[in-house]
Amino acid sequence: MAETVALIGAGAMAQLYAGLLQQQGITPVLLRRPSAATPTSSHCQSHQLQWLDGHHSQHDVVHQPSNFPCQPTAVLLLTKAQHAIAAATPVLQWLPQHIPLILLHNGMGPQHALAARYPQHNIWAGSVTDGAVRLGQAQVAQRGVGVRAAGALTGQTQLPECLRRLGFQQADNIDLLLWHKLSVNAVINLLCARDRISNGVLLTPPYQAEINALCTELAQLGQALGFRETAPQCQQRILTVAKATASNRCSTLQDVEAARPTELANISGYVLQQAQQHGLSLPHHQRSYQHHQAAVEPPLSQSH
């Protein structure tokens, strides 16, 4: 019987990882919003994935409400950061404590909050820099192959087998890993959403001075948080990701174009919150985030 891995969410990244799992002979199940209906509300849906080399594959994926139990060997959470805790909660009501739940969303904050709320569960956090874009309700295009890594927050410390088969590396210092991913998003997602550009445009000369200024502030905050890294090291990591995902339109830009709330409250907002707590001023991040909020974020009353 094939191994089953559940995915919380059904966006571009969840659909991409459903395809990657099937490529490894693992059966994916997409867990959608909770339902008051019977378990028969589960259904099979055909998905199409356009791979990086241009070829297409089509496969059937089971969709079911997240409050109905299944029997996965692991659960991958690939929702937006602002939905992570609410999306994971119904799953943790039925998920056996030893089954790993791996949080792969952008930003920081929900990972440790969820681990503190459910310390008896086997909770992991991870970082992926793959690129994907949604072409239709059940059609996704792969736009880049990035770094995949994860580390334990609670529970076991051995890398789950499904992650190993997907090419994940185990991170001994998960907080450093999350900070590295956060710093990438705090530059790429912010600038690409602001200027409506694909990631690769950030490699061009006009953006280098601004990226350098943002990285200088991130390195300053990183030092205060205990992450020893220089601004050039930070900038090099960001440009490496931008090159690897050059054709990708980042998730924040996709949200802006679809008039959806973005994850930047858990990215840039988190950066500025941490800076305030440490008595630091990050004017470039502050100005860029405020510009984003004024331009595209809906009023708070409309985001619930």
Side-chain angles (χ1 to χ4, degrees):
M1 184 175 179
E3 177 185 1
T4 297
V5 168
L7 301 101
I8 303 176
M13 290 299 291
Q15 292 187 48
L16 171 63
Y17 268 76
L20 292 170
L21 287 165
Q22 289 199 326
Q23 209 178 40
Q24 295 300 317
I26 301 172
T27 300
V29 175
L30 290 180
L31 301 180
R32 307 297 294 266
R33 292 178 179 177
S35 171
T38 65
T40 56
S41 59
S42 299
H43 65 281
C44 195
Q45 184 171 340
S46 179
H47 286 258
Q48 186 178 86
L49 179 57
Q50 178 186 326
W51 297 94
L52 199 58
D53 64 5
H55 86 275
H56 292 75
S57 64
Q58 194 156 331
H59 46 272
D60 292 333
V61 179
V62 172
H63 291 234
Q64 74 172 56
S66 63
N67 54 323
F68 292 127
C70 56
Q71 295 181 314
T73 58
V75 178
L76 309 183
L77 187 147
L78 287 151
T79 67
K80 299 296 183 183
Q82 64 267 32
H83 304 311
I85 294 177
T89 298
V91 176
L92 287 166
Q93 305 310 307
W94 57 260
L95 187 70
Q97 293 181 2
H98 70 282
I99 299 297
L101 168 65
I102 303 106
L103 309 177
L104 298 175
H105 59 78
N106 288 331
M108 288 182 73
Q111 299 96 332
H112 290 91
L114 201 62
R117 187 177 299 182
Y118 297 95
Q120 72 278 19
H121 276 271
N122 186 13
I123 297 179
W124 287 62
S127 168
V128 294
T129 56
D130 297 273
V133 61
R134 197 169 182 173
L135 303 178
Q137 184 177 1
Q139 186 178 11
V140 168
Q142 185 182 34
R143 288 292 187 253
V145 178
V147 176
R148 302 168 189 165
L153 296 178
T154 63
Q156 72 181 51
T157 57
Q158 183 176 358
L159 189 71
E161 176 62 18
C162 68
L163 295 188
R164 187 190 65 78
R165 290 170 64 179
L166 288 173
F168 276 73
Q169 300 296 315
Q170 184 157 352
D172 295 327
N173 187 340
I174 185 59
D175 289 328
L176 178 61
L177 173 75
L178 295 176
W179 172 254
H180 282 172
K181 176 67 182 293
L182 181 78
S183 61
V184 168
N185 292 148
V187 175
I188 290 180
N189 290 40
L190 188 63
L191 296 183
C192 289
R194 183 192 70 188
D195 294 350
R196 311 295 200 271
I197 56 174
S198 60
N199 295 0
V201 179
L202 296 181
L203 301 170
T204 61
Y207 282 95
Q208 299 318 298
E210 185 172 15
I211 292 174
N212 179 264
L214 292 169
C215 288
T216 297
E217 293 181 353
L218 286 170
Q220 183 184 14
L221 177 59
Q223 293 282 341
L225 295 173
F227 305 125
R228 308 271 176 207
E229 182 179 51
T230 65
Q233 289 172 325
C234 178
Q235 185 165 353
Q236 183 57 53
R237 181 175 62 256
I238 288 164
L239 295 178
T240 298
V241 172
K243 183 176 181 180
T245 59
S247 65
N248 191 47
R249 295 175 76 78
C250 72
S251 59
T252 303
L253 175 54
Q254 293 179 49
D255 287 337
V256 168
E257 292 176 330
R260 295 188 297 257
T262 75
E263 294 177 291
L264 284 179
N266 290 100
I267 300 173
S268 298
Y270 181 88
V271 166
L272 294 170
Q273 178 189 58
Q274 292 297 308
Q276 184 178 33
Q277 290 180 7
H278 287 80
L280 298 174
S281 174
L282 307 184
H284 289 89
H285 284 273
Q286 183 77 46
R287 183 167 55 252
S288 296
Y289 184 46
Q290 287 177 340
H291 177 272
H292 165 81
Q293 287 181 304
V296 302
E297 289 289 7
L300 186 61
S301 61
Q302 297 179 17
S303 64
H304 293 286

